[in-house]
Amino acid sequence: MKILIVSDTHAKHGNLDYVLEQAGSIDLFIHLGDVEGDEEYLDAVIECEKHIVRGNNDFFSRLPREEEFDIGKYHVFITHGHYYYVSMDVDTIIEEARSRNADIVMFGHTHKPYFSQKDGLTVLNPGSLSYPRQDGRKPSYMVMEIDEEGKAHYEQKYL
Ligand SMILES: [Mn+2]
């Protein structure tokens, strides 16, 4: 099972188009917010199951604020992240993820890729495909794969 994880495209989907083409067949698409009006576009181009949450710039969007769902044996919590002060540190979002019994928490907002695994909790941010802010400023996204034993593998990708 192949999962494409992106965030913070901010109404600019050229890089997303490219990534979708590169990724080929995917089983699940996750967008962690700040689509800025690209909801219809995403509906049109993404054929598989998708989870998209609302970012701090999605003012009039009807997207859900955050979501919880399962990917195989993993309980997943997705949120844009600004409610949990992710620009400061990941302490609050980790606390929230643990209170929801999540195995994986995914967020965006900072436009910087992040990945950590500690005490059974995976915390990740794919970075931004449109406006990257980490050193080097390469647009980034993440591919998650569930292998035949049901185990998750993660790959941070850059354009
Ligand atoms: Mn943003």
PDB file of all heavy atoms in Angstrom, residues 98-132:
ATOM      1  N   ARG A  98      -0.838  11.488  21.733  1.00  0.00           N
ATOM      2  CA  ARG A  98      -0.874  10.418  22.736  1.00  0.00           C
ATOM      3  C   ARG A  98      -2.249  10.331  23.392  1.00  0.00           C
ATOM      4  O   ARG A  98      -2.740   9.243  23.668  1.00  0.00           O
ATOM      5  CB  ARG A  98       0.225  10.617  23.783  1.00  0.00           C
ATOM      6  CG  ARG A  98       1.618  10.426  23.215  1.00  0.00           C
ATOM      7  CD  ARG A  98       2.652  10.059  24.281  1.00  0.00           C
ATOM      8  NE  ARG A  98       3.985   9.973  23.696  1.00  0.00           N
ATOM      9  CZ  ARG A  98       4.452   8.919  23.009  1.00  0.00           C
ATOM     10  NH1 ARG A  98       3.693   7.860  22.827  1.00  0.00           N
ATOM     11  NH2 ARG A  98       5.677   8.930  22.511  1.00  0.00           N
ATOM     12  N   SER A  99      -2.885  11.475  23.622  1.00  0.00           N
ATOM     13  CA  SER A  99      -4.212  11.464  24.251  1.00  0.00           C
ATOM     14  C   SER A  99      -5.241  10.829  23.314  1.00  0.00           C
ATOM     15  O   SER A  99      -6.277  10.349  23.743  1.00  0.00           O
ATOM     16  CB  SER A  99      -4.638  12.877  24.652  1.00  0.00           C
ATOM     17  OG  SER A  99      -5.104  13.588  23.516  1.00  0.00           O
ATOM     18  N   ARG A 100      -4.967  10.838  22.016  1.00  0.00           N
ATOM     19  CA  ARG A 100      -5.864  10.221  21.034  1.00  0.00           C
ATOM     20  C   ARG A 100      -5.438   8.794  20.688  1.00  0.00           C
ATOM     21  O   ARG A 100      -5.969   8.194  19.758  1.00  0.00           O
ATOM     22  CB  ARG A 100      -5.867  11.053  19.750  1.00  0.00           C
ATOM     23  CG  ARG A 100      -6.512  12.427  19.907  1.00  0.00           C
ATOM     24  CD  ARG A 100      -6.245  13.270  18.685  1.00  0.00           C
ATOM     25  NE  ARG A 100      -6.794  14.610  18.776  1.00  0.00           N
ATOM     26  CZ  ARG A 100      -7.851  15.036  18.063  1.00  0.00           C
ATOM     27  NH1 ARG A 100      -8.460  14.231  17.211  1.00  0.00           N
ATOM     28  NH2 ARG A 100      -8.291  16.260  18.196  1.00  0.00           N
ATOM     29  N   ASN A 101      -4.458   8.280  21.410  1.00  0.00           N
ATOM     30  CA  ASN A 101      -3.919   6.944  21.160  1.00  0.00           C
ATOM     31  C   ASN A 101      -3.444   6.748  19.727  1.00  0.00           C
ATOM     32  O   ASN A 101      -3.604   5.674  19.147  1.00  0.00           O
ATOM     33  CB  ASN A 101      -4.948   5.859  21.519  1.00  0.00           C
ATOM     34  CG  ASN A 101      -5.170   5.778  23.012  1.00  0.00           C
ATOM     35  OD1 ASN A 101      -4.210   5.768  23.784  1.00  0.00           O
ATOM     36  ND2 ASN A 101      -6.429   5.764  23.428  1.00  0.00           N
ATOM     37  N   ALA A 102      -2.869   7.786  19.162  1.00  0.00           N
ATOM     38  CA  ALA A 102      -2.357   7.697  17.793  1.00  0.00           C
ATOM     39  C   ALA A 102      -1.012   6.979  17.774  1.00  0.00           C
ATOM     40  O   ALA A 102      -0.233   7.056  18.726  1.00  0.00           O
ATOM     41  CB  ALA A 102      -2.207   9.093  17.208  1.00  0.00           C
ATOM     42  N   ASP A 103      -0.780   6.250  16.692  1.00  0.00           N
ATOM     43  CA  ASP A 103       0.535   5.666  16.437  1.00  0.00           C
ATOM     44  C   ASP A 103       1.351   6.582  15.532  1.00  0.00           C
ATOM     45  O   ASP A 103       2.570   6.548  15.523  1.00  0.00           O
ATOM     46  CB  ASP A 103       0.385   4.305  15.739  1.00  0.00           C
ATOM     47  CG  ASP A 103      -0.460   3.343  16.552  1.00  0.00           C
ATOM     48  OD1 ASP A 103      -0.037   2.999  17.671  1.00  0.00           O
ATOM     49  OD2 ASP A 103      -1.559   2.962  16.087  1.00  0.00           O
ATOM     50  N   ILE A 104       0.618   7.370  14.742  1.00  0.00           N
ATOM     51  CA  ILE A 104       1.259   8.290  13.801  1.00  0.00           C
ATOM     52  C   ILE A 104       0.521   9.628  13.859  1.00  0.00           C
ATOM     53  O   ILE A 104      -0.711   9.652  13.812  1.00  0.00           O
ATOM     54  CB  ILE A 104       1.164   7.759  12.350  1.00  0.00           C
ATOM     55  CG1 ILE A 104       1.751   6.345  12.233  1.00  0.00           C
ATOM     56  CG2 ILE A 104       1.862   8.708  11.373  1.00  0.00           C
ATOM     57  CD1 ILE A 104       1.390   5.618  10.936  1.00  0.00           C
ATOM     58  N   VAL A 105       1.262  10.715  13.986  1.00  0.00           N
ATOM     59  CA  VAL A 105       0.649  12.038  13.851  1.00  0.00           C
ATOM     60  C   VAL A 105       1.344  12.753  12.692  1.00  0.00           C
ATOM     61  O   VAL A 105       2.569  12.718  12.561  1.00  0.00           O
ATOM     62  CB  VAL A 105       0.683  12.859  15.165  1.00  0.00           C
ATOM     63  CG1 VAL A 105       2.092  13.021  15.715  1.00  0.00           C
ATOM     64  CG2 VAL A 105       0.035  14.232  14.950  1.00  0.00           C
ATOM     65  N   MET A 106       0.518  13.347  11.816  1.00  0.00           N
ATOM     66  CA  MET A 106       1.046  14.063  10.648  1.00  0.00           C
ATOM     67  C   MET A 106       0.572  15.509  10.715  1.00  0.00           C
ATOM     68  O   MET A 106      -0.594  15.763  10.993  1.00  0.00           O
ATOM     69  CB  MET A 106       0.503  13.438   9.354  1.00  0.00           C
ATOM     70  CG  MET A 106       0.776  11.957   9.206  1.00  0.00           C
ATOM     71  SD  MET A 106       0.104  11.355   7.629  1.00  0.00           S
ATOM     72  CE  MET A 106       0.474   9.596   7.784  1.00  0.00           C
ATOM     73  N   PHE A 107       1.492  16.437  10.434  1.00  0.00           N
ATOM     74  CA  PHE A 107       1.125  17.849  10.439  1.00  0.00           C
ATOM     75  C   PHE A 107       1.900  18.599   9.357  1.00  0.00           C
ATOM     76  O   PHE A 107       2.810  18.055   8.727  1.00  0.00           O
ATOM     77  CB  PHE A 107       1.372  18.477  11.825  1.00  0.00           C
ATOM     78  CG  PHE A 107       2.831  18.576  12.219  1.00  0.00           C
ATOM     79  CD1 PHE A 107       3.516  19.775  12.112  1.00  0.00           C
ATOM     80  CD2 PHE A 107       3.524  17.471  12.702  1.00  0.00           C
ATOM     81  CE1 PHE A 107       4.862  19.884  12.474  1.00  0.00           C
ATOM     82  CE2 PHE A 107       4.866  17.557  13.058  1.00  0.00           C
ATOM     83  CZ  PHE A 107       5.535  18.770  12.947  1.00  0.00           C
ATOM     84  N   GLY A 108       1.514  19.851   9.132  1.00  0.00           N
ATOM     85  CA  GLY A 108       2.191  20.700   8.152  1.00  0.00           C
ATOM     86  C   GLY A 108       2.524  22.026   8.805  1.00  0.00           C
ATOM     87  O   GLY A 108       3.101  22.068   9.879  1.00  0.00           O
ATOM     88  N   HIS A 109       2.141  23.106   8.166  1.00  0.00           N
ATOM     89  CA  HIS A 109       2.198  24.474   8.710  1.00  0.00           C
ATOM     90  C   HIS A 109       3.588  25.097   8.742  1.00  0.00           C
ATOM     91  O   HIS A 109       3.751  26.274   8.417  1.00  0.00           O
ATOM     92  CB  HIS A 109       1.564  24.535  10.102  1.00  0.00           C
ATOM     93  CG  HIS A 109       1.393  25.927  10.633  1.00  0.00           C
ATOM     94  ND1 HIS A 109       0.698  26.901   9.944  1.00  0.00           N
ATOM     95  CD2 HIS A 109       1.839  26.513  11.779  1.00  0.00           C
ATOM     96  CE1 HIS A 109       0.725  28.015  10.659  1.00  0.00           C
ATOM     97  NE2 HIS A 109       1.409  27.812  11.755  1.00  0.00           N
ATOM     98  N   THR A 110       4.611  24.358   9.157  1.00  0.00           N
ATOM     99  CA  THR A 110       5.942  24.961   9.285  1.00  0.00           C
ATOM    100  C   THR A 110       6.657  25.070   7.940  1.00  0.00           C
ATOM    101  O   THR A 110       7.626  25.823   7.816  1.00  0.00           O
ATOM    102  CB  THR A 110       6.853  24.135  10.219  1.00  0.00           C
ATOM    103  OG1 THR A 110       7.041  22.838   9.633  1.00  0.00           O
ATOM    104  CG2 THR A 110       6.226  23.978  11.589  1.00  0.00           C
ATOM    105  N   HIS A 111       6.189  24.312   6.932  1.00  0.00           N
ATOM    106  CA  HIS A 111       6.846  24.241   5.617  1.00  0.00           C
ATOM    107  C   HIS A 111       8.266  23.679   5.745  1.00  0.00           C
ATOM    108  O   HIS A 111       9.129  23.985   4.930  1.00  0.00           O
ATOM    109  CB  HIS A 111       6.889  25.606   4.926  1.00  0.00           C
ATOM    110  CG  HIS A 111       5.538  26.184   4.613  1.00  0.00           C
ATOM    111  ND1 HIS A 111       5.313  27.021   3.545  1.00  0.00           N
ATOM    112  CD2 HIS A 111       4.323  26.049   5.225  1.00  0.00           C
ATOM    113  CE1 HIS A 111       4.046  27.384   3.515  1.00  0.00           C
ATOM    114  NE2 HIS A 111       3.417  26.808   4.539  1.00  0.00           N
ATOM    115  N   LYS A 112       8.492  22.876   6.783  1.00  0.00           N
ATOM    116  CA  LYS A 112       9.803  22.237   6.978  1.00  0.00           C
ATOM    117  C   LYS A 112       9.587  20.756   7.252  1.00  0.00           C
ATOM    118  O   LYS A 112       8.811  20.407   8.153  1.00  0.00           O
ATOM    119  CB  LYS A 112      10.526  22.846   8.190  1.00  0.00           C
ATOM    120  CG  LYS A 112      10.953  24.275   7.991  1.00  0.00           C
ATOM    121  CD  LYS A 112      11.589  24.825   9.273  1.00  0.00           C
ATOM    122  CE  LYS A 112      11.972  26.287   9.089  1.00  0.00           C
ATOM    123  NZ  LYS A 112      12.483  26.883  10.344  1.00  0.00           N
ATOM    124  N   PRO A 113      10.274  19.876   6.512  1.00  0.00           N
ATOM    125  CA  PRO A 113      10.116  18.442   6.773  1.00  0.00           C
ATOM    126  C   PRO A 113      10.570  18.098   8.191  1.00  0.00           C
ATOM    127  O   PRO A 113      11.527  18.682   8.704  1.00  0.00           O
ATOM    128  CB  PRO A 113      11.051  17.783   5.750  1.00  0.00           C
ATOM    129  CG  PRO A 113      11.401  18.821   4.767  1.00  0.00           C
ATOM    130  CD  PRO A 113      11.264  20.143   5.447  1.00  0.00           C
ATOM    131  N   TYR A 114       9.856  17.148   8.794  1.00  0.00           N
ATOM    132  CA  TYR A 114      10.199  16.706  10.151  1.00  0.00           C
ATOM    133  C   TYR A 114       9.846  15.236  10.265  1.00  0.00           C
ATOM    134  O   TYR A 114       8.815  14.793   9.754  1.00  0.00           O
ATOM    135  CB  TYR A 114       9.397  17.520  11.191  1.00  0.00           C
ATOM    136  CG  TYR A 114       9.684  17.098  12.598  1.00  0.00           C
ATOM    137  CD1 TYR A 114      10.749  17.646  13.307  1.00  0.00           C
ATOM    138  CD2 TYR A 114       8.914  16.114  13.214  1.00  0.00           C
ATOM    139  CE1 TYR A 114      11.037  17.226  14.600  1.00  0.00           C
ATOM    140  CE2 TYR A 114       9.193  15.692  14.508  1.00  0.00           C
ATOM    141  CZ  TYR A 114      10.257  16.256  15.198  1.00  0.00           C
ATOM    142  OH  TYR A 114      10.537  15.837  16.469  1.00  0.00           O
ATOM    143  N   PHE A 115      10.690  14.493  10.956  1.00  0.00           N
ATOM    144  CA  PHE A 115      10.382  13.076  11.181  1.00  0.00           C
ATOM    145  C   PHE A 115      11.024  12.625  12.484  1.00  0.00           C
ATOM    146  O   PHE A 115      12.205  12.847  12.711  1.00  0.00           O
ATOM    147  CB  PHE A 115      10.921  12.213  10.028  1.00  0.00           C
ATOM    148  CG  PHE A 115      10.533  10.770  10.141  1.00  0.00           C
ATOM    149  CD1 PHE A 115       9.295  10.326   9.698  1.00  0.00           C
ATOM    150  CD2 PHE A 115      11.398   9.845  10.719  1.00  0.00           C
ATOM    151  CE1 PHE A 115       8.915   8.982   9.818  1.00  0.00           C
ATOM    152  CE2 PHE A 115      11.028   8.503  10.843  1.00  0.00           C
ATOM    153  CZ  PHE A 115       9.792   8.075  10.389  1.00  0.00           C
ATOM    154  N   SER A 116      10.240  12.020  13.363  1.00  0.00           N
ATOM    155  CA  SER A 116      10.809  11.409  14.566  1.00  0.00           C
ATOM    156  C   SER A 116       9.977  10.201  14.973  1.00  0.00           C
ATOM    157  O   SER A 116       8.780  10.126  14.662  1.00  0.00           O
ATOM    158  CB  SER A 116      10.872  12.420  15.724  1.00  0.00           C
ATOM    159  OG  SER A 116       9.577  12.686  16.224  1.00  0.00           O
ATOM    160  N   GLN A 117      10.631   9.259  15.609  1.00  0.00           N
ATOM    161  CA  GLN A 117       9.929   8.084  16.145  1.00  0.00           C
ATOM    162  C   GLN A 117      10.423   7.869  17.557  1.00  0.00           C
ATOM    163  O   GLN A 117      11.616   7.693  17.781  1.00  0.00           O
ATOM    164  CB  GLN A 117      10.222   6.844  15.291  1.00  0.00           C
ATOM    165  CG  GLN A 117       9.537   6.906  13.938  1.00  0.00           C
ATOM    166  CD  GLN A 117       9.738   5.670  13.094  1.00  0.00           C
ATOM    167  OE1 GLN A 117      10.870   5.274  12.864  1.00  0.00           O
ATOM    168  NE2 GLN A 117       8.655   5.068  12.632  1.00  0.00           N
ATOM    169  N   LYS A 118       9.475   7.914  18.508  1.00  0.00           N
ATOM    170  CA  LYS A 118       9.860   7.745  19.902  1.00  0.00           C
ATOM    171  C   LYS A 118       8.717   7.112  20.684  1.00  0.00           C
ATOM    172  O   LYS A 118       7.568   7.538  20.550  1.00  0.00           O
ATOM    173  CB  LYS A 118      10.220   9.109  20.505  1.00  0.00           C
ATOM    174  CG  LYS A 118      11.081   8.993  21.747  1.00  0.00           C
ATOM    175  CD  LYS A 118      11.353  10.347  22.385  1.00  0.00           C
ATOM    176  CE  LYS A 118      11.976  10.142  23.759  1.00  0.00           C
ATOM    177  NZ  LYS A 118      11.879  11.348  24.575  1.00  0.00           N
ATOM    178  N   ASP A 119       9.035   6.107  21.473  1.00  0.00           N
ATOM    179  CA  ASP A 119       8.059   5.442  22.342  1.00  0.00           C
ATOM    180  C   ASP A 119       6.781   5.071  21.586  1.00  0.00           C
ATOM    181  O   ASP A 119       5.671   5.330  22.065  1.00  0.00           O
ATOM    182  CB  ASP A 119       7.719   6.329  23.553  1.00  0.00           C
ATOM    183  CG  ASP A 119       8.965   6.688  24.358  1.00  0.00           C
ATOM    184  OD1 ASP A 119       9.875   5.840  24.435  1.00  0.00           O
ATOM    185  OD2 ASP A 119       9.030   7.811  24.888  1.00  0.00           O
ATOM    186  N   GLY A 120       6.954   4.514  20.405  1.00  0.00           N
ATOM    187  CA  GLY A 120       5.804   4.013  19.649  1.00  0.00           C
ATOM    188  C   GLY A 120       5.018   5.051  18.882  1.00  0.00           C
ATOM    189  O   GLY A 120       3.989   4.738  18.289  1.00  0.00           O
ATOM    190  N   LEU A 121       5.466   6.295  18.897  1.00  0.00           N
ATOM    191  CA  LEU A 121       4.761   7.352  18.161  1.00  0.00           C
ATOM    192  C   LEU A 121       5.644   7.907  17.037  1.00  0.00           C
ATOM    193  O   LEU A 121       6.768   8.335  17.276  1.00  0.00           O
ATOM    194  CB  LEU A 121       4.354   8.489  19.107  1.00  0.00           C
ATOM    195  CG  LEU A 121       3.627   9.674  18.453  1.00  0.00           C
ATOM    196  CD1 LEU A 121       2.255   9.259  17.917  1.00  0.00           C
ATOM    197  CD2 LEU A 121       3.488  10.826  19.439  1.00  0.00           C
ATOM    198  N   THR A 122       5.096   7.881  15.826  1.00  0.00           N
ATOM    199  CA  THR A 122       5.776   8.479  14.677  1.00  0.00           C
ATOM    200  C   THR A 122       5.200   9.875  14.458  1.00  0.00           C
ATOM    201  O   THR A 122       3.983  10.038  14.399  1.00  0.00           O
ATOM    202  CB  THR A 122       5.566   7.620  13.411  1.00  0.00           C
ATOM    203  OG1 THR A 122       6.126   6.321  13.639  1.00  0.00           O
ATOM    204  CG2 THR A 122       6.234   8.253  12.197  1.00  0.00           C
ATOM    205  N   VAL A 123       6.065  10.869  14.374  1.00  0.00           N
ATOM    206  CA  VAL A 123       5.648  12.260  14.175  1.00  0.00           C
ATOM    207  C   VAL A 123       6.266  12.734  12.865  1.00  0.00           C
ATOM    208  O   VAL A 123       7.487  12.631  12.691  1.00  0.00           O
ATOM    209  CB  VAL A 123       6.155  13.151  15.334  1.00  0.00           C
ATOM    210  CG1 VAL A 123       5.654  14.584  15.169  1.00  0.00           C
ATOM    211  CG2 VAL A 123       5.731  12.584  16.674  1.00  0.00           C
ATOM    212  N   LEU A 124       5.432  13.204  11.948  1.00  0.00           N
ATOM    213  CA  LEU A 124       6.023  13.614  10.670  1.00  0.00           C
ATOM    214  C   LEU A 124       5.344  14.842  10.075  1.00  0.00           C
ATOM    215  O   LEU A 124       4.173  15.129  10.325  1.00  0.00           O
ATOM    216  CB  LEU A 124       5.986  12.443   9.679  1.00  0.00           C
ATOM    217  CG  LEU A 124       4.638  11.958   9.130  1.00  0.00           C
ATOM    218  CD1 LEU A 124       4.194  12.760   7.907  1.00  0.00           C
ATOM    219  CD2 LEU A 124       4.750  10.489   8.762  1.00  0.00           C
ATOM    220  N   ASN A 125       6.159  15.538   9.295  1.00  0.00           N
ATOM    221  CA  ASN A 125       5.713  16.681   8.511  1.00  0.00           C
ATOM    222  C   ASN A 125       6.415  16.557   7.158  1.00  0.00           C
ATOM    223  O   ASN A 125       7.646  16.503   7.111  1.00  0.00           O
ATOM    224  CB  ASN A 125       6.112  17.981   9.227  1.00  0.00           C
ATOM    225  CG  ASN A 125       5.657  19.243   8.515  1.00  0.00           C
ATOM    226  OD1 ASN A 125       5.441  19.254   7.303  1.00  0.00           O
ATOM    227  ND2 ASN A 125       5.540  20.323   9.262  1.00  0.00           N
ATOM    228  N   PRO A 126       5.645  16.488   6.053  1.00  0.00           N
ATOM    229  CA  PRO A 126       6.275  16.299   4.739  1.00  0.00           C
ATOM    230  C   PRO A 126       6.933  17.558   4.201  1.00  0.00           C
ATOM    231  O   PRO A 126       7.589  17.514   3.161  1.00  0.00           O
ATOM    232  CB  PRO A 126       5.095  15.885   3.856  1.00  0.00           C
ATOM    233  CG  PRO A 126       3.923  16.590   4.473  1.00  0.00           C
ATOM    234  CD  PRO A 126       4.177  16.573   5.964  1.00  0.00           C
ATOM    235  N   GLY A 127       6.744  18.699   4.881  1.00  0.00           N
ATOM    236  CA  GLY A 127       7.224  19.971   4.344  1.00  0.00           C
ATOM    237  C   GLY A 127       6.242  20.499   3.317  1.00  0.00           C
ATOM    238  O   GLY A 127       5.135  19.981   3.179  1.00  0.00           O
ATOM    239  N   SER A 128       6.638  21.537   2.597  1.00  0.00           N
ATOM    240  CA  SER A 128       5.733  22.168   1.623  1.00  0.00           C
ATOM    241  C   SER A 128       6.199  21.908   0.195  1.00  0.00           C
ATOM    242  O   SER A 128       7.387  22.014  -0.110  1.00  0.00           O
ATOM    243  CB  SER A 128       5.693  23.681   1.861  1.00  0.00           C
ATOM    244  OG  SER A 128       4.991  24.318   0.801  1.00  0.00           O
ATOM    245  N   LEU A 129       5.225  21.590  -0.669  1.00  0.00           N
ATOM    246  CA  LEU A 129       5.546  21.392  -2.087  1.00  0.00           C
ATOM    247  C   LEU A 129       5.661  22.713  -2.837  1.00  0.00           C
ATOM    248  O   LEU A 129       6.194  22.757  -3.940  1.00  0.00           O
ATOM    249  CB  LEU A 129       4.469  20.528  -2.752  1.00  0.00           C
ATOM    250  CG  LEU A 129       4.725  19.030  -2.797  1.00  0.00           C
ATOM    251  CD1 LEU A 129       3.564  18.324  -3.474  1.00  0.00           C
ATOM    252  CD2 LEU A 129       6.030  18.703  -3.531  1.00  0.00           C
ATOM    253  N   SER A 130       5.145  23.785  -2.262  1.00  0.00           N
ATOM    254  CA  SER A 130       5.121  25.060  -2.991  1.00  0.00           C
ATOM    255  C   SER A 130       6.052  26.125  -2.408  1.00  0.00           C
ATOM    256  O   SER A 130       6.684  26.868  -3.149  1.00  0.00           O
ATOM    257  CB  SER A 130       3.695  25.610  -3.019  1.00  0.00           C
ATOM    258  OG  SER A 130       2.836  24.700  -3.680  1.00  0.00           O
ATOM    259  N   TYR A 131       6.102  26.211  -1.072  1.00  0.00           N
ATOM    260  CA  TYR A 131       6.901  27.263  -0.423  1.00  0.00           C
ATOM    261  C   TYR A 131       7.761  26.689   0.701  1.00  0.00           C
ATOM    262  O   TYR A 131       7.515  26.968   1.878  1.00  0.00           O
ATOM    263  CB  TYR A 131       5.979  28.365   0.116  1.00  0.00           C
ATOM    264  CG  TYR A 131       5.175  29.032  -0.973  1.00  0.00           C
ATOM    265  CD1 TYR A 131       3.867  28.644  -1.225  1.00  0.00           C
ATOM    266  CD2 TYR A 131       5.742  30.024  -1.780  1.00  0.00           C
ATOM    267  CE1 TYR A 131       3.119  29.228  -2.250  1.00  0.00           C
ATOM    268  CE2 TYR A 131       5.006  30.612  -2.794  1.00  0.00           C
ATOM    269  CZ  TYR A 131       3.706  30.221  -3.022  1.00  0.00           C
ATOM    270  OH  TYR A 131       2.977  30.810  -4.034  1.00  0.00           O
ATOM    271  N   PRO A 132       8.786  25.908   0.344  1.00  0.00           N
ATOM    272  CA  PRO A 132       9.635  25.288   1.376  1.00  0.00           C
ATOM    273  C   PRO A 132      10.420  26.338   2.157  1.00  0.00           C
ATOM    274  O   PRO A 132      10.821  27.357   1.591  1.00  0.00           O
ATOM    275  CB  PRO A 132      10.582  24.389   0.564  1.00  0.00           C
ATOM    276  CG  PRO A 132      10.565  24.948  -0.821  1.00  0.00           C
ATOM    277  CD  PRO A 132       9.196  25.534  -1.017  1.00  0.00           C
TER     278      PRO A 132
END
